[in-house]
Amino acid sequence: MTDVLVVGAGPTGLVLACDLARRGAAVRIVDRSPVPPRTSRAKGPNARSLEILDDLGVAEEVLAAGSAPLPMLKYRDRLPVAETDPWADSAPTPDVPYDRGWLIAQWRLEEILRERLAGYGVRVEPAREVVGLAEGTGGRHVDVTFAERRPERARYVVGCDGAHSSVRKLLGIGFEGTTAEDQVMVCGDVDLVEGALDRTRWHQWFDADGAVMLCPIPGTRTGWWFQAGPERDGAGRPLAPTADGFRRLLARHTALPGRALTRAELLSTYRVNVRMADRFRAGRVLLAGDAAHVHAVAGGLGMNTGIQDAFNLGWKLGLVLAGHAGAELLDTYEEERLPVAARTLDLTSDRLRATLEAIRRPGGGLDAAITPDTTGLGVGYPWSSLAAPRNSPAPAPLPGDRAPDAPCADAGTGARTRLHRVFAGPRTTVLGFGPGSAAVLREVADGYGDAGVRTYRVYAAHEDRAGAMPGSVVDDAGHAATAYGTGASGSTGAGTVVVVRPDHHVGVVAPADDARSVRVYLRRLHGSGRSPERSPGMVDAAR
């Protein structure tokens, strides 16, 4: 029987399938499309999604295939009036190595994720449409019916099948919200004659009677993302996008002739929809990505929120399937991600209003949509039942927060690494700062070393590392101690223990002499620590 059937092979479904496959789960992923869609759509991962892709072992390939976000050149009445680089004052820091998102065509990102998934022996099954879902006998599985009427079984089903989700509709889950019929944009992928525009800029023409935006598609010589206000008929109704319509818009708003546009495909009309499912789980069926929430495009959070849904859900499904945690752990997926989705709807609607206001003035542009909130790095779950009560005087981070990164060195080899690389892979991580943490780390290693938990001692530069446990790291520049607020980790005090969930969020921050808090938390996620009879093997992300 399939452990998890993922319905929908966009970025959300592919990230979830990759995360489950590396845990050894029997995962299948299906998509109604007969072939992978060749569209750019979303413009790329934000900073937090890059961290997730790094954990999955594909960030370097994504960076190589894409480009850094570009300065924005704004025009009025065909003349350049302003240039803005939203990231000019941003730079990587020890705790945030990815300080900005990345431009990459969505089809290329999906291609990279499909290749990663194939490395685990799992391939997308095309032309498979789910038309029926029913709870199986005894509630132990889901009976899934496909369009070809062949029923199959899965322990869990996750709908990652977009805003028009068949899975959500089959469950009868509400998708309340609004559609702004007057906020319309036409989109497509186009080719311009070579040299028509500077490809080191995102060009934005905003006029009183319309707009055109052209951003170069990385990895192409002449490809551009085209977005524009639509042409309208005599009654003011928006017209469907066409190649000739794009040429007319180009000639009307830019200094380029219409013939400079040589190809236009994947044409679509975008309307602002702000909707959210009223629940993300119905028994053994769950929703993620656009199937659970859609919102304004401002800020570029659509695909990214879905990727982050998947990363929150994957480890929880993995622990339940392995028999370490009870099915109630899955309730924390909705508990954590539904408020994030609600906040994202508000944030993107606010950024859309700010952008519409900005473009009324010469020099205004899409940079109005970009704020620190759109990086995704500040998303945390302090309200979650998985955020243990704080039991440490350390000033940061709080349980539920994103666990900071920090550069360090392998204690045994001296090789350079960083904490997020230590966290990478499908396991819970326990960090020990200070000599007093050694006893807790030994206890955890003895009890949970074969149950998906790993332990790492974080040594200060001046500490004696004789007898260091394998994988321990040296905080040679003090960045880890600073990020985690542990002070002098080489002091003779009790030290600090930090439990980091598999999705890089802090679960527990406790003094090292409070072993009980660590035990209680790990028991909730990993049971008694003894390997259950049925336990999928885990595969760490390849580097």
Side-chain angles (χ1 to χ4, degrees):
M1 185 190 299
T2 301
D3 284 333
V4 181
L5 175 70
V6 178
V7 182
T12 301
L14 289 167
V15 166
L16 179 60
C18 286
D19 197 18
L20 290 166
R22 67 177 179 169
R23 297 172 186 281
V27 60
R28 292 173 56 200
I29 179 168
V30 301
D31 197 279
R32 73 180 72 178
S33 176
V35 294
R38 187 77 172 187
T39 178
S40 47
R41 290 183 289 179
K43 289 185 176 65
N46 65 11
R48 175 59 184 141
S49 291
L50 281 173
E51 292 183 340
I52 292 169
L53 295 171
D54 193 22
D55 191 288
L56 294 176
V58 298
E60 290 183 6
E61 191 172 356
V62 169
L63 294 176
S67 76
L70 302 174
M72 299 178 181
L73 183 57
K74 278 79 71 76
Y75 302 77
R76 194 79 163 192
D77 298 325
R78 299 185 175 185
L79 298 175
V81 294
E83 181 170 311
T84 305
D85 183 353
W87 304 104
D89 297 327
S90 178
T93 59
D95 60 327
V96 179
Y98 299 111
D99 66 309
R100 65 194 67 193
W102 208 249
L103 293 176
I104 182 173
Q106 183 171 322
W107 66 263
R108 181 67 182 109
L109 175 61
E110 291 175 359
E111 188 175 73
I112 291 169
L113 288 168
R114 284 197 302 273
E115 290 169 358
R116 166 60 69 183
L117 187 59
Y120 296 118
V122 181
R123 297 185 182 276
V124 175
E125 300 173 36
R128 304 288 322 266
E129 182 178 3
V130 174
V131 297
L133 295 169
E135 184 177 291
T137 305
R140 297 179 180 176
H141 65 269
V142 182
D143 290 319
V144 183
T145 304
F146 291 94
E148 61 269 30
R149 297 297 172 187
R150 188 179 73 197
E152 300 180 28
R153 289 182 172 181
R155 288 184 170 84
Y156 291 93
V157 174
V158 185
C160 305
D161 49 342
H164 301 289
S165 170
S166 297
V167 171
R168 187 188 65 242
K169 293 173 182 176
L170 288 168
L171 294 173
I173 291 178
F175 200 50
E176 297 302 317
T178 60
T179 298
E181 295 292 345
D182 59 329
Q183 293 178 339
V184 182
M185 181 170 63
V186 290
C187 311
D189 289 4
V190 305
D191 276 339
L192 300 181
V193 294
E194 193 165 359
L197 286 172
D198 178 4
R199 290 183 63 85
T200 67
R201 297 294 183 271
W202 185 347
H203 302 268
Q204 302 169 13
W205 292 265
F206 293 109
D207 296 322
D209 62 343
V212 168
M213 293 152 277
L214 282 163
C215 183
I217 301 174
T220 69
R221 288 177 57 211
T222 59
W224 297 77
W225 285 297
F226 183 102
Q227 298 167 285
E231 294 186 299
R232 296 183 182 268
D233 63 17
R237 292 182 296 256
L239 296 175
T242 65
D244 284 341
F246 279 15
R247 292 186 181 99
R248 287 190 293 269
L249 288 166
L250 189 72
R252 181 186 307 163
H253 293 288
T254 81
L256 298 174
R259 64 178 180 275
L261 193 154
T262 60
R263 175 192 65 94
E265 61 183 24
L266 306 168
L267 310 185
S268 63
T269 298
Y270 169 80
R271 286 179 171 82
V272 175
N273 281 282
V274 181
R275 298 180 181 275
M276 189 172 74
D278 51 39
R279 53 195 171 118
F280 289 4
R281 182 187 179 198
R284 289 179 172 264
V285 185
L286 302 102
L287 301 174
D290 285 355
H293 41 74
V294 293
H295 44 77
V297 69
L301 293 177
M303 178 187 74
N304 288 291
T305 305
I307 287 174
Q308 291 153 34
D309 284 347
F311 203 54
N312 181 285
L313 178 58
W315 68 273
K316 296 172 183 177
L317 276 169
L319 288 178
V320 172
L321 289 167
H324 295 305
E328 62 273 10
L329 179 64
L330 299 179
D331 292 333
T332 67
Y333 168 64
E334 179 179 300
E335 177 191 1
E336 294 183 342
R337 293 304 295 175
L338 192 149
V340 170
R343 168 62 180 141
T344 301
L345 265 62
D346 290 342
L347 172 63
T348 53
S349 295
D350 177 73
R351 290 299 87 205
L352 177 62
R353 286 190 293 270
T355 301
L356 293 175
E357 178 64 29
I359 63 177
R360 293 192 182 101
R361 303 182 300 272
L366 300 185
D367 50 298
I370 299 173
T371 71
D373 285 339
T374 60
T375 67
L377 295 169
V379 173
Y381 314 113
W383 61 84
S384 172
S385 60
L386 292 182
R390 182 156 192 168
N391 189 20
S392 169
L398 293 170
D401 289 348
R402 166 190 169 273
D405 203 351
C408 46
D410 185 281
T413 66
R416 300 307 303 173
T417 186
R418 49 192 176 86
L419 289 184
H420 276 206
R421 287 292 171 91
V422 169
F423 301 158
R427 298 176 186 272
T428 298
T429 303
V430 182
L431 301 177
F433 293 83
S437 67
V440 177
L441 296 180
R442 282 194 298 271
E443 179 183 335
V444 171
D446 290 344
Y448 290 91
D450 60 350
V453 181
R454 56 200 161 181
T455 56
Y456 292 95
R457 175 77 160 82
V458 182
Y459 287 92
H462 62 272
E463 283 189 87
D464 180 6
R465 298 186 291 277
M469 296 188 306
S472 295
V473 296
V474 182
D475 183 24
D476 48 0
H479 292 304
T482 298
Y484 287 84
T486 61
S489 59
S491 69
T492 57
T496 303
V497 175
V498 181
V499 180
V500 180
R501 302 170 3 170
D503 60 350
H504 311 162
H505 285 271
V506 174
V508 173
V509 180
D513 56 6
D514 181 18
R516 181 182 179 279
S517 292
V518 176
R519 283 195 298 267
V520 169
Y521 194 82
L522 292 179
R523 191 176 301 122
R524 180 172 182 190
L525 300 188
H526 297 271
S528 66
R530 304 302 177 192
S531 292
E533 206 171 293
R534 183 186 179 282
S535 180
M538 296 187 185
V539 184
D540 283 327
R543 291 290 161 199

